[in-house]
Amino acid sequence: MREVFSVPEYIGPEAIVAKKKKYIMPCLSHFYKEPREIVKGEMQYLYDSEGRKYLDCFAGVSVINCGHCNPEITAKVCQQVKTLQHVCNIYLTENFVNLAERLAQVTPGDLQKSFFCSTGTEANEGSALLATIYTGSSEFIALRNGLHGRTKLTMSLTGIGMWRTDPNPVGGINFAPNAYCYRCRARQALS
Ligand SMILES: Cc1ncc(COP(=O)(O)O)c(C=O)c1O
């Protein structure tokens, strides 16, 4: 099964776990004692190194909603990286503004402006910055069980204990329960 994916040297899950321990920061741990090695994605399906096929109901962490290795998207990405990969934003590039224009057309209300970034963390950090500029306040209310990212501020805004590993979080942040109280502790206490 492995050869068809043309991976040059197969080291296997145990060696990957060992390398992970040695070279990767511990905050990126895996949840399983014997984690599966995923070797291929094909739209809604994933394949592990032992040839098992999975229906991926998780879509990455909801970031691969158009499918794994979607051929239409992959073709466009390959076309772009073969043409131009990066220039500083002091120069003009056309696809940059075309994408922003398309987003303005499909986003609700009068939303017009885009800020492009690579990760959820950056998006949340950017939103927090915009909010402070708009409100003139540096205080935040975050959701109790929320996860917002791994930078100083987004981790401080994160409510879930296991993702909140900074011993000195940013101050001025208060936590509120979710407005939709699924399995709500407050409601359980009242009943
Ligand atoms: C709800 C939510 N916000 C923010 C993040 C952080 O995104 P990233 O890992 O792309 O920085 C995640 C990551 O899983 C997330 O699930």
Side-chain angles (χ1 to χ4, degrees):
M1 180 94 190
R2 204 71 181 27
E3 308 76 69
V4 295
F5 307 129
S6 60
V7 176
E9 204 185 323
Y10 181 48
I11 61 170
E14 276 177 30
I16 295 175
V17 168
K19 281 197 190 190
K20 212 174 158 187
K21 269 194 194 139
K22 190 169 177 190
Y23 298 115
I24 304 292
M25 297 289 260
C27 61
L28 295 175
S29 62
H30 39 263
F31 289 177
Y32 312 101
K33 271 191 190 152
E34 291 176 16
R36 299 259 174 255
E37 180 196 355
I38 305 299
V39 293
K40 181 179 154 89
E42 206 173 55
M43 296 305 281
Q44 69 271 42
Y45 299 112
L46 285 173
Y47 299 82
D48 72 16
S49 53
E50 289 169 25
R52 286 189 203 89
K53 182 179 182 180
Y54 301 87
L55 174 62
D56 181 9
C57 297
F58 201 34
V61 189
S62 315
V63 293
I64 204 93
N65 292 328
C66 296
H68 293 277
C69 309
N70 180 315
E72 206 180 325
I73 296 172
T74 306
K76 297 276 182 198
V77 170
C78 291
Q79 188 188 338
Q80 183 62 56
V81 293
K82 283 180 187 167
T83 310
L84 180 67
Q85 295 186 338
H86 172 76
V87 281
C88 176
N89 56 18
I90 60 172
Y91 303 109
L92 298 180
T93 52
E94 189 181 337
N95 288 339
F96 176 59
V97 289
N98 285 346
L99 177 59
E101 181 183 48
R102 186 78 189 101
L103 284 173
Q105 287 161 359
V106 297
T107 44
D110 59 358
L111 291 174
Q112 287 288 295
K113 306 244 190 247
S114 285
F115 172 75
F116 294 116
C117 47
S118 314
T119 64
T121 301
E122 284 171 271
N124 289 336
E125 185 85 33
S127 318
L129 174 63
L130 272 184
T132 58
I133 292 167
Y134 184 76
T135 61
S137 165
S138 56
E139 292 189 32
F140 294 95
I141 298 172
L143 291 181
R144 250 182 220 167
N145 290 314
L147 160 65
H148 299 296
R150 272 187 266 263
T151 54
K152 185 89 185 161
L153 178 58
T154 57
M155 189 180 280
S156 305
L157 289 164
T158 288
I160 303 177
M162 66 175 284
W163 297 115
R164 198 179 154 77
T165 50
D166 179 355
N168 300 302
V170 174
I173 297 169
N174 288 292
F175 290 90
N178 199 308
Y180 174 61
C181 220
Y182 181 64
R183 290 185 184 142
C184 177
R185 282 198 194 155
R187 199 179 326 142
Q188 280 163 5
L190 290 173
S191 61

